[in-house]
Structure formats: structure tokens, C-alpha cells
Amino acid sequence: ITESCLHENVGAVRSLLASLQNQGVRISLDDFGTGYSSFGQLSELPIDRIKIDRSFVSKLTGSEDNATIIKAITSLGAGLGLPITAEGIESEEVLAELSTYGDFKGQGYLYGQPEPATATQQRLANLNLLAAPEPSAQAKPGKATRPSRRVAAS
């Protein structure tokens, strides 16, 4: 869910997210830091993860402002018990800088380009990284997936 959609009707959004969680769906707050969420809303909404918007991450090196924002979001996530994903990791320099702020997951072109779900599934199968597929969990042809990896603190 993106941060900007939270302002439409907070009560309805809260109810919908709780319903999804009750069905086993994990909720990530995407593009965090680019919208208008209040800290009160963030602590009240049933979310499982915060994703730092790529606009802060991709320009991290050499930007004291972006570094401060990322540190603040990381601290906020830790305080609320929410894991963090950083979007927009496109270079080793950004990854190295980011890893000094804590332990979280990362996404970006450094890990790979978007590809069809079937290609991802085949690549992971070739590496023996897939569990036996369930009939309802088959990848939809042509749907792109984003690569994601864990970023560890150094």
C-alpha cells in the first residue's frame, strides 16, 4: 500500500488492512517519506513493514539530508517494531552507506533488473531455491517481479 492512499479514508483503510492481515496477507507501507502520513496514523495502522522510497536511497551518497531522513525512518521502524526495506539500491557505494544504518532488506538494480515472473521462477528453480509449488501459487505469465536482498549492518 502506498503512503498517499492513506488519506482517502483512514477508517476504511484501517479496516481493509486488518481484514487482509487476518487472511494472512502481509502489508508493506510503500514509498514511505513521500506522502503525508502522521506518526499517529503510522502507529495505528496494521502494517508489517516500511519501505523507504527510492528517491532517498538512490541519492544517499553525498546527501546529508537523505542520510538524515533514512536514519530517522530506520529509527522509527525500530521503535515501532517494523522491519525496513530500502528501495533504489543501484550501486555498491549506496549499499555500503546504507548498511551502516542497520539491518534491513534492499531492492534495486544492483541486485538485478525487473523480469517476468516465469523467468524469476525458472532462475530460482535452477538454483534449487524453490519449495514445491502449490497449485494456487503458480506465477502469472508476463508479470514482472522486483529482485530483493537482505542488507546487513557492517
Side-chain angles (χ1 to χ4, degrees):
I1 185 169
T2 60
E3 186 180 4
S4 60
C5 81
L6 297 178
H7 309 292
E8 310 272 323
N9 183 339
V10 176
V13 169
R14 185 181 303 116
S15 177
L16 178 62
L17 294 180
S19 175
L20 288 170
Q21 276 189 328
N22 288 338
Q23 297 174 54
V25 175
R26 303 206 24 119
I27 310 293
S28 294
L29 182 57
D30 202 12
D31 301 336
F32 188 76
T34 61
Y36 305 99
S37 288
S38 72
F39 293 131
Q41 285 177 336
L42 185 61
S43 66
E44 292 175 11
L45 290 171
I47 59 172
D48 301 300
R49 174 174 296 279
I50 297 173
K51 294 177 77 176
I52 302 173
D53 187 69
R54 69 181 325 280
S55 64
F56 302 118
V57 176
S58 63
K59 298 174 185 166
L60 175 60
T61 56
S63 172
E64 191 63 35
D65 290 344
N66 284 351
T68 300
I69 290 168
I70 290 171
K71 288 176 194 175
I73 294 171
T74 302
S75 177
L76 179 66
L80 294 173
L82 295 171
I84 304 289
T85 297
E87 301 176 328
I89 301 174
E90 298 178 0
S91 70
E92 292 289 343
E93 295 80 22
V94 168
L95 177 60
E97 175 82 16
L98 204 51
S99 66
T100 66
Y101 302 136
D103 186 22
F104 41 88
K105 290 190 176 182
Q107 291 179 329
Y109 292 148
L110 179 65
Y111 304 118
Q113 300 292 318
E115 62 184 35
T118 52
T120 302
Q121 186 177 25
Q122 185 61 52
R123 187 167 39 85
L124 294 174
N126 292 343
L127 296 169
N128 294 319
L129 295 175
L130 290 181
E134 296 179 24
S136 63
Q138 296 296 324
K140 294 180 182 172
K143 182 168 169 82
T145 60
R146 287 194 215 162
S148 179
R149 291 220 177 116
R150 187 163 186 77
V151 177
S154 52

PDB file of all heavy atoms in Angstrom, residues 16-45:
ATOM      1  N   LEU A  16      -9.777  -2.368   6.063  1.00  0.00           N
ATOM      2  CA  LEU A  16      -9.361  -3.201   4.941  1.00  0.00           C
ATOM      3  C   LEU A  16      -8.024  -3.880   5.222  1.00  0.00           C
ATOM      4  O   LEU A  16      -7.857  -5.079   4.976  1.00  0.00           O
ATOM      5  CB  LEU A  16      -9.263  -2.360   3.662  1.00  0.00           C
ATOM      6  CG  LEU A  16      -8.786  -3.089   2.413  1.00  0.00           C
ATOM      7  CD1 LEU A  16      -9.748  -4.207   2.030  1.00  0.00           C
ATOM      8  CD2 LEU A  16      -8.620  -2.110   1.272  1.00  0.00           C
ATOM      9  N   LEU A  17      -7.062  -3.130   5.762  1.00  0.00           N
ATOM     10  CA  LEU A  17      -5.755  -3.716   6.061  1.00  0.00           C
ATOM     11  C   LEU A  17      -5.863  -4.796   7.130  1.00  0.00           C
ATOM     12  O   LEU A  17      -5.225  -5.849   7.021  1.00  0.00           O
ATOM     13  CB  LEU A  17      -4.775  -2.625   6.512  1.00  0.00           C
ATOM     14  CG  LEU A  17      -4.386  -1.581   5.471  1.00  0.00           C
ATOM     15  CD1 LEU A  17      -3.411  -0.578   6.062  1.00  0.00           C
ATOM     16  CD2 LEU A  17      -3.823  -2.217   4.228  1.00  0.00           C
ATOM     17  N   ALA A  18      -6.680  -4.560   8.152  1.00  0.00           N
ATOM     18  CA  ALA A  18      -6.868  -5.567   9.199  1.00  0.00           C
ATOM     19  C   ALA A  18      -7.492  -6.827   8.613  1.00  0.00           C
ATOM     20  O   ALA A  18      -7.089  -7.949   8.956  1.00  0.00           O
ATOM     21  CB  ALA A  18      -7.731  -5.003  10.326  1.00  0.00           C
ATOM     22  N   SER A  19      -8.444  -6.663   7.718  1.00  0.00           N
ATOM     23  CA  SER A  19      -9.082  -7.805   7.079  1.00  0.00           C
ATOM     24  C   SER A  19      -8.073  -8.603   6.252  1.00  0.00           C
ATOM     25  O   SER A  19      -8.042  -9.834   6.305  1.00  0.00           O
ATOM     26  CB  SER A  19     -10.237  -7.327   6.186  1.00  0.00           C
ATOM     27  OG  SER A  19     -10.785  -8.404   5.479  1.00  0.00           O
ATOM     28  N   LEU A  20      -7.229  -7.907   5.519  1.00  0.00           N
ATOM     29  CA  LEU A  20      -6.206  -8.580   4.720  1.00  0.00           C
ATOM     30  C   LEU A  20      -5.216  -9.330   5.621  1.00  0.00           C
ATOM     31  O   LEU A  20      -4.837 -10.467   5.330  1.00  0.00           O
ATOM     32  CB  LEU A  20      -5.466  -7.573   3.840  1.00  0.00           C
ATOM     33  CG  LEU A  20      -6.262  -7.014   2.667  1.00  0.00           C
ATOM     34  CD1 LEU A  20      -5.513  -5.850   2.028  1.00  0.00           C
ATOM     35  CD2 LEU A  20      -6.562  -8.094   1.650  1.00  0.00           C
ATOM     36  N   GLN A  21      -4.812  -8.691   6.704  1.00  0.00           N
ATOM     37  CA  GLN A  21      -3.887  -9.358   7.625  1.00  0.00           C
ATOM     38  C   GLN A  21      -4.511 -10.608   8.227  1.00  0.00           C
ATOM     39  O   GLN A  21      -3.838 -11.614   8.409  1.00  0.00           O
ATOM     40  CB  GLN A  21      -3.446  -8.416   8.737  1.00  0.00           C
ATOM     41  CG  GLN A  21      -2.302  -7.531   8.344  1.00  0.00           C
ATOM     42  CD  GLN A  21      -1.733  -6.771   9.515  1.00  0.00           C
ATOM     43  OE1 GLN A  21      -2.445  -6.416  10.444  1.00  0.00           O
ATOM     44  NE2 GLN A  21      -0.442  -6.512   9.458  1.00  0.00           N
ATOM     45  N   ASN A  22      -5.789 -10.541   8.548  1.00  0.00           N
ATOM     46  CA  ASN A  22      -6.486 -11.697   9.107  1.00  0.00           C
ATOM     47  C   ASN A  22      -6.508 -12.866   8.125  1.00  0.00           C
ATOM     48  O   ASN A  22      -6.674 -14.017   8.529  1.00  0.00           O
ATOM     49  CB  ASN A  22      -7.912 -11.338   9.517  1.00  0.00           C
ATOM     50  CG  ASN A  22      -7.943 -10.468  10.750  1.00  0.00           C
ATOM     51  OD1 ASN A  22      -7.001 -10.451  11.531  1.00  0.00           O
ATOM     52  ND2 ASN A  22      -9.027  -9.723  10.918  1.00  0.00           N
ATOM     53  N   GLN A  23      -6.341 -12.563   6.846  1.00  0.00           N
ATOM     54  CA  GLN A  23      -6.311 -13.604   5.816  1.00  0.00           C
ATOM     55  C   GLN A  23      -4.884 -14.051   5.506  1.00  0.00           C
ATOM     56  O   GLN A  23      -4.653 -14.820   4.582  1.00  0.00           O
ATOM     57  CB  GLN A  23      -6.993 -13.093   4.548  1.00  0.00           C
ATOM     58  CG  GLN A  23      -8.464 -12.780   4.749  1.00  0.00           C
ATOM     59  CD  GLN A  23      -9.066 -12.143   3.522  1.00  0.00           C
ATOM     60  OE1 GLN A  23      -8.968 -12.688   2.428  1.00  0.00           O
ATOM     61  NE2 GLN A  23      -9.673 -10.986   3.687  1.00  0.00           N
ATOM     62  N   GLY A  24      -3.920 -13.529   6.267  1.00  0.00           N
ATOM     63  CA  GLY A  24      -2.531 -13.928   6.086  1.00  0.00           C
ATOM     64  C   GLY A  24      -1.725 -13.059   5.143  1.00  0.00           C
ATOM     65  O   GLY A  24      -0.573 -13.368   4.848  1.00  0.00           O
ATOM     66  N   VAL A  25      -2.297 -11.962   4.653  1.00  0.00           N
ATOM     67  CA  VAL A  25      -1.585 -11.061   3.749  1.00  0.00           C
ATOM     68  C   VAL A  25      -0.701 -10.140   4.591  1.00  0.00           C
ATOM     69  O   VAL A  25      -1.145  -9.571   5.583  1.00  0.00           O
ATOM     70  CB  VAL A  25      -2.581 -10.222   2.911  1.00  0.00           C
ATOM     71  CG1 VAL A  25      -1.849  -9.190   2.057  1.00  0.00           C
ATOM     72  CG2 VAL A  25      -3.443 -11.125   2.052  1.00  0.00           C
ATOM     73  N   ARG A  26       0.562 -10.011   4.185  1.00  0.00           N
ATOM     74  CA  ARG A  26       1.485  -9.110   4.874  1.00  0.00           C
ATOM     75  C   ARG A  26       1.455  -7.764   4.164  1.00  0.00           C
ATOM     76  O   ARG A  26       1.470  -7.706   2.938  1.00  0.00           O
ATOM     77  CB  ARG A  26       2.875  -9.703   4.894  1.00  0.00           C
ATOM     78  CG  ARG A  26       2.822 -11.082   5.563  1.00  0.00           C
ATOM     79  CD  ARG A  26       4.056 -11.573   6.198  1.00  0.00           C
ATOM     80  NE  ARG A  26       4.989 -10.588   6.604  1.00  0.00           N
ATOM     81  CZ  ARG A  26       5.379 -10.412   7.868  1.00  0.00           C
ATOM     82  NH1 ARG A  26       4.874 -11.135   8.817  1.00  0.00           N
ATOM     83  NH2 ARG A  26       6.279  -9.510   8.171  1.00  0.00           N
ATOM     84  N   ILE A  27       1.419  -6.693   4.934  1.00  0.00           N
ATOM     85  CA  ILE A  27       1.239  -5.347   4.387  1.00  0.00           C
ATOM     86  C   ILE A  27       2.520  -4.526   4.558  1.00  0.00           C
ATOM     87  O   ILE A  27       3.042  -4.405   5.664  1.00  0.00           O
ATOM     88  CB  ILE A  27       0.090  -4.605   5.114  1.00  0.00           C
ATOM     89  CG1 ILE A  27      -1.184  -5.439   5.183  1.00  0.00           C
ATOM     90  CG2 ILE A  27      -0.148  -3.233   4.500  1.00  0.00           C
ATOM     91  CD1 ILE A  27      -1.838  -5.704   3.867  1.00  0.00           C
ATOM     92  N   SER A  28       3.003  -3.954   3.451  1.00  0.00           N
ATOM     93  CA  SER A  28       4.146  -3.042   3.486  1.00  0.00           C
ATOM     94  C   SER A  28       3.664  -1.647   3.129  1.00  0.00           C
ATOM     95  O   SER A  28       2.875  -1.482   2.201  1.00  0.00           O
ATOM     96  CB  SER A  28       5.215  -3.456   2.472  1.00  0.00           C
ATOM     97  OG  SER A  28       5.790  -4.683   2.816  1.00  0.00           O
ATOM     98  N   LEU A  29       4.147  -0.653   3.874  1.00  0.00           N
ATOM     99  CA  LEU A  29       3.843   0.738   3.554  1.00  0.00           C
ATOM    100  C   LEU A  29       4.900   1.208   2.577  1.00  0.00           C
ATOM    101  O   LEU A  29       6.064   1.400   2.934  1.00  0.00           O
ATOM    102  CB  LEU A  29       3.833   1.596   4.821  1.00  0.00           C
ATOM    103  CG  LEU A  29       3.479   3.061   4.645  1.00  0.00           C
ATOM    104  CD1 LEU A  29       2.105   3.217   3.982  1.00  0.00           C
ATOM    105  CD2 LEU A  29       3.507   3.776   5.980  1.00  0.00           C
ATOM    106  N   ASP A  30       4.513   1.346   1.303  1.00  0.00           N
ATOM    107  CA  ASP A  30       5.429   1.653   0.211  1.00  0.00           C
ATOM    108  C   ASP A  30       5.641   3.157   0.090  1.00  0.00           C
ATOM    109  O   ASP A  30       4.803   3.953   0.508  1.00  0.00           O
ATOM    110  CB  ASP A  30       4.836   1.102  -1.094  1.00  0.00           C
ATOM    111  CG  ASP A  30       5.874   0.875  -2.166  1.00  0.00           C
ATOM    112  OD1 ASP A  30       7.084   0.922  -1.864  1.00  0.00           O
ATOM    113  OD2 ASP A  30       5.478   0.635  -3.312  1.00  0.00           O
ATOM    114  N   ASP A  31       6.774   3.550  -0.494  1.00  0.00           N
ATOM    115  CA  ASP A  31       7.100   4.955  -0.775  1.00  0.00           C
ATOM    116  C   ASP A  31       7.098   5.808   0.490  1.00  0.00           C
ATOM    117  O   ASP A  31       6.758   7.000   0.450  1.00  0.00           O
ATOM    118  CB  ASP A  31       6.130   5.556  -1.799  1.00  0.00           C
ATOM    119  CG  ASP A  31       6.128   4.814  -3.114  1.00  0.00           C
ATOM    120  OD1 ASP A  31       7.140   4.163  -3.426  1.00  0.00           O
ATOM    121  OD2 ASP A  31       5.115   4.868  -3.827  1.00  0.00           O
ATOM    122  N   PHE A  32       7.483   5.219   1.631  1.00  0.00           N
ATOM    123  CA  PHE A  32       7.427   5.971   2.876  1.00  0.00           C
ATOM    124  C   PHE A  32       8.346   7.189   2.821  1.00  0.00           C
ATOM    125  O   PHE A  32       9.458   7.127   2.344  1.00  0.00           O
ATOM    126  CB  PHE A  32       7.805   5.100   4.083  1.00  0.00           C
ATOM    127  CG  PHE A  32       7.579   5.801   5.384  1.00  0.00           C
ATOM    128  CD1 PHE A  32       6.295   5.945   5.884  1.00  0.00           C
ATOM    129  CD2 PHE A  32       8.634   6.345   6.084  1.00  0.00           C
ATOM    130  CE1 PHE A  32       6.070   6.621   7.071  1.00  0.00           C
ATOM    131  CE2 PHE A  32       8.419   7.014   7.271  1.00  0.00           C
ATOM    132  CZ  PHE A  32       7.140   7.148   7.760  1.00  0.00           C
ATOM    133  N   GLY A  33       7.839   8.284   3.319  1.00  0.00           N
ATOM    134  CA  GLY A  33       8.585   9.535   3.352  1.00  0.00           C
ATOM    135  C   GLY A  33       8.194  10.489   2.251  1.00  0.00           C
ATOM    136  O   GLY A  33       8.618  11.643   2.248  1.00  0.00           O
ATOM    137  N   THR A  34       7.374  10.049   1.305  1.00  0.00           N
ATOM    138  CA  THR A  34       6.996  10.923   0.193  1.00  0.00           C
ATOM    139  C   THR A  34       5.577  11.456   0.334  1.00  0.00           C
ATOM    140  O   THR A  34       5.178  12.341  -0.408  1.00  0.00           O
ATOM    141  CB  THR A  34       7.103  10.193  -1.162  1.00  0.00           C
ATOM    142  OG1 THR A  34       6.207   9.084  -1.154  1.00  0.00           O
ATOM    143  CG2 THR A  34       8.523   9.705  -1.396  1.00  0.00           C
ATOM    144  N   GLY A  35       4.810  10.922   1.267  1.00  0.00           N
ATOM    145  CA  GLY A  35       3.412  11.322   1.433  1.00  0.00           C
ATOM    146  C   GLY A  35       3.222  12.188   2.656  1.00  0.00           C
ATOM    147  O   GLY A  35       4.136  12.887   3.087  1.00  0.00           O
ATOM    148  N   TYR A  36       2.034  12.093   3.226  1.00  0.00           N
ATOM    149  CA  TYR A  36       1.678  12.979   4.318  1.00  0.00           C
ATOM    150  C   TYR A  36       1.200  12.236   5.553  1.00  0.00           C
ATOM    151  O   TYR A  36       0.349  12.717   6.279  1.00  0.00           O
ATOM    152  CB  TYR A  36       0.568  13.933   3.857  1.00  0.00           C
ATOM    153  CG  TYR A  36       0.935  14.692   2.614  1.00  0.00           C
ATOM    154  CD1 TYR A  36       0.486  14.272   1.373  1.00  0.00           C
ATOM    155  CD2 TYR A  36       1.752  15.803   2.680  1.00  0.00           C
ATOM    156  CE1 TYR A  36       0.830  14.956   0.217  1.00  0.00           C
ATOM    157  CE2 TYR A  36       2.108  16.491   1.540  1.00  0.00           C
ATOM    158  CZ  TYR A  36       1.633  16.067   0.313  1.00  0.00           C
ATOM    159  OH  TYR A  36       1.978  16.741  -0.812  1.00  0.00           O
ATOM    160  N   SER A  37       1.728  11.072   5.812  1.00  0.00           N
ATOM    161  CA  SER A  37       1.287  10.305   6.977  1.00  0.00           C
ATOM    162  C   SER A  37       1.712  10.992   8.264  1.00  0.00           C
ATOM    163  O   SER A  37       2.800  11.549   8.357  1.00  0.00           O
ATOM    164  CB  SER A  37       1.902   8.908   6.983  1.00  0.00           C
ATOM    165  OG  SER A  37       1.325   8.120   6.003  1.00  0.00           O
ATOM    166  N   SER A  38       0.845  10.901   9.253  1.00  0.00           N
ATOM    167  CA  SER A  38       1.227  11.358  10.580  1.00  0.00           C
ATOM    168  C   SER A  38       1.781  10.160  11.337  1.00  0.00           C
ATOM    169  O   SER A  38       1.496   9.013  11.009  1.00  0.00           O
ATOM    170  CB  SER A  38       0.023  11.935  11.318  1.00  0.00           C
ATOM    171  OG  SER A  38      -0.853  10.889  11.703  1.00  0.00           O
ATOM    172  N   PHE A  39       2.564  10.423  12.360  1.00  0.00           N
ATOM    173  CA  PHE A  39       3.099   9.325  13.156  1.00  0.00           C
ATOM    174  C   PHE A  39       1.979   8.598  13.867  1.00  0.00           C
ATOM    175  O   PHE A  39       2.054   7.392  14.074  1.00  0.00           O
ATOM    176  CB  PHE A  39       4.135   9.831  14.152  1.00  0.00           C
ATOM    177  CG  PHE A  39       5.367  10.358  13.483  1.00  0.00           C
ATOM    178  CD1 PHE A  39       5.883  11.596  13.825  1.00  0.00           C
ATOM    179  CD2 PHE A  39       6.022   9.625  12.509  1.00  0.00           C
ATOM    180  CE1 PHE A  39       7.019  12.079  13.214  1.00  0.00           C
ATOM    181  CE2 PHE A  39       7.157  10.108  11.878  1.00  0.00           C
ATOM    182  CZ  PHE A  39       7.661  11.335  12.241  1.00  0.00           C
ATOM    183  N   GLY A  40       0.919   9.299  14.219  1.00  0.00           N
ATOM    184  CA  GLY A  40      -0.239   8.657  14.839  1.00  0.00           C
ATOM    185  C   GLY A  40      -0.866   7.629  13.915  1.00  0.00           C
ATOM    186  O   GLY A  40      -1.191   6.524  14.333  1.00  0.00           O
ATOM    187  N   GLN A  41      -1.042   7.989  12.652  1.00  0.00           N
ATOM    188  CA  GLN A  41      -1.593   7.045  11.676  1.00  0.00           C
ATOM    189  C   GLN A  41      -0.688   5.835  11.526  1.00  0.00           C
ATOM    190  O   GLN A  41      -1.143   4.699  11.478  1.00  0.00           O
ATOM    191  CB  GLN A  41      -1.759   7.709  10.308  1.00  0.00           C
ATOM    192  CG  GLN A  41      -2.907   8.662  10.200  1.00  0.00           C
ATOM    193  CD  GLN A  41      -2.931   9.328   8.828  1.00  0.00           C
ATOM    194  OE1 GLN A  41      -1.911   9.430   8.148  1.00  0.00           O
ATOM    195  NE2 GLN A  41      -4.102   9.775   8.428  1.00  0.00           N
ATOM    196  N   LEU A  42       0.611   6.087  11.460  1.00  0.00           N
ATOM    197  CA  LEU A  42       1.558   5.001  11.262  1.00  0.00           C
ATOM    198  C   LEU A  42       1.495   3.993  12.405  1.00  0.00           C
ATOM    199  O   LEU A  42       1.523   2.796  12.187  1.00  0.00           O
ATOM    200  CB  LEU A  42       2.976   5.565  11.127  1.00  0.00           C
ATOM    201  CG  LEU A  42       4.070   4.576  10.787  1.00  0.00           C
ATOM    202  CD1 LEU A  42       3.809   3.904   9.452  1.00  0.00           C
ATOM    203  CD2 LEU A  42       5.414   5.284  10.750  1.00  0.00           C
ATOM    204  N   SER A  43       1.386   4.480  13.630  1.00  0.00           N
ATOM    205  CA  SER A  43       1.362   3.568  14.771  1.00  0.00           C
ATOM    206  C   SER A  43       0.019   2.852  14.913  1.00  0.00           C
ATOM    207  O   SER A  43      -0.060   1.799  15.535  1.00  0.00           O
ATOM    208  CB  SER A  43       1.690   4.323  16.065  1.00  0.00           C
ATOM    209  OG  SER A  43       0.673   5.258  16.366  1.00  0.00           O
ATOM    210  N   GLU A  44      -1.043   3.396  14.331  1.00  0.00           N
ATOM    211  CA  GLU A  44      -2.373   2.786  14.447  1.00  0.00           C
ATOM    212  C   GLU A  44      -2.696   1.817  13.317  1.00  0.00           C
ATOM    213  O   GLU A  44      -3.546   0.950  13.478  1.00  0.00           O
ATOM    214  CB  GLU A  44      -3.448   3.875  14.458  1.00  0.00           C
ATOM    215  CG  GLU A  44      -3.422   4.734  15.711  1.00  0.00           C
ATOM    216  CD  GLU A  44      -4.424   5.875  15.635  1.00  0.00           C
ATOM    217  OE1 GLU A  44      -5.272   5.876  14.718  1.00  0.00           O
ATOM    218  OE2 GLU A  44      -4.355   6.767  16.483  1.00  0.00           O
ATOM    219  N   LEU A  45      -2.047   1.953  12.179  1.00  0.00           N
ATOM    220  CA  LEU A  45      -2.372   1.113  11.035  1.00  0.00           C
ATOM    221  C   LEU A  45      -1.713  -0.259  11.165  1.00  0.00           C
ATOM    222  O   LEU A  45      -0.560  -0.367  11.595  1.00  0.00           O
ATOM    223  CB  LEU A  45      -1.924   1.769   9.733  1.00  0.00           C
ATOM    224  CG  LEU A  45      -2.727   2.994   9.320  1.00  0.00           C
ATOM    225  CD1 LEU A  45      -2.053   3.687   8.141  1.00  0.00           C
ATOM    226  CD2 LEU A  45      -4.150   2.603   8.961  1.00  0.00           C
TER     227      LEU A  45
END
